[in-house]
Amino acid sequence: MTTEIAEAQDYIDDMARKRGYVLDYHKVMAKHDFPVLKAANHVVSAAYLDQRTLDRKTKELIFIVSLTVMRASKGHIQSHIRVALDLGLTPTEILEAIEISLPEAGIVAFQTGFEAWREVVGVDGIEPTVQVHEGGSGAS
């Protein structure tokens, strides 16, 4: 393993330890444009990972809501939901945060976050007892 690849591997491992997840683009950027990955991660560390005034649980809820409003990929939202659960937040607290997206971003954005949450926490709903067409999850 070259020195540059070894340094990138150490960096990805450190990111995983600090964040609790890494995204696919982190892995690819580590291999193909390591300096840009480090620069982008520095901003994320300053705003999200470094301890400042807000605690990590609060930041995680804000991240989940902002990703929901931006209609981020389900996997990206789910990575933050899993970290929030690891930090001790309850499924209900996370759902309540996602629900904040309803008034400003609307039902379509909400459904993106809701579907990510539903899959991670493994909940189901109440099925109608009358004949009805299947509506799906509402999320893409």
Side-chain angles (χ1 to χ4, degrees):
M1 189 180 297
T2 68
T3 304
E4 185 175 305
I5 294 294
E7 182 185 356
Q9 182 66 59
D10 289 344
Y11 197 83
I12 282 291
D13 292 345
D14 189 54
M15 283 178 69
R17 279 189 291 277
K18 288 178 179 173
R19 292 172 180 240
Y21 69 93
V22 291
L23 300 173
D24 289 344
Y25 93 87
H26 296 139
K27 299 170 194 176
V28 174
M29 290 295 289
K31 186 173 183 179
H32 296 281
D33 200 345
F34 187 44
V36 172
L37 173 64
K38 290 193 300 187
N41 191 52
H42 182 68
V43 171
V44 171
S45 291
Y48 166 60
L49 296 172
D50 294 350
Q51 180 57 53
R52 296 171 52 202
T53 306
L54 297 176
D55 64 24
R56 181 76 190 270
K57 288 181 180 181
T58 302
K59 289 180 181 181
E60 210 56 60
L61 290 174
I62 292 168
F63 229 113
I64 292 166
V65 173
S66 65
L67 290 170
T68 295
V69 168
M70 297 298 296
R71 297 182 192 161
S73 72
K74 183 168 42 174
H76 193 171
I77 298 168
Q78 287 175 330
S79 66
H80 287 277
I81 291 170
R82 288 183 187 100
V83 170
L85 291 168
D86 289 346
L87 292 171
L89 287 159
T90 68
T92 302
E93 290 170 322
I94 297 166
L95 176 58
E96 188 174 325
I98 293 169
E99 291 167 346
I100 291 171
S101 70
L102 272 165
E104 297 303 325
I107 193 71
V108 175
F110 164 76
Q111 287 172 330
T112 301
F114 179 81
E115 187 63 18
W117 172 84
R118 185 193 63 74
E119 285 183 13
V120 169
V121 300
V123 297
D124 61 2
I126 299 172
E127 294 294 328
T129 58
V130 298
Q131 186 174 351
V132 63
H133 294 286
E134 180 59 42
S137 69
S140 56

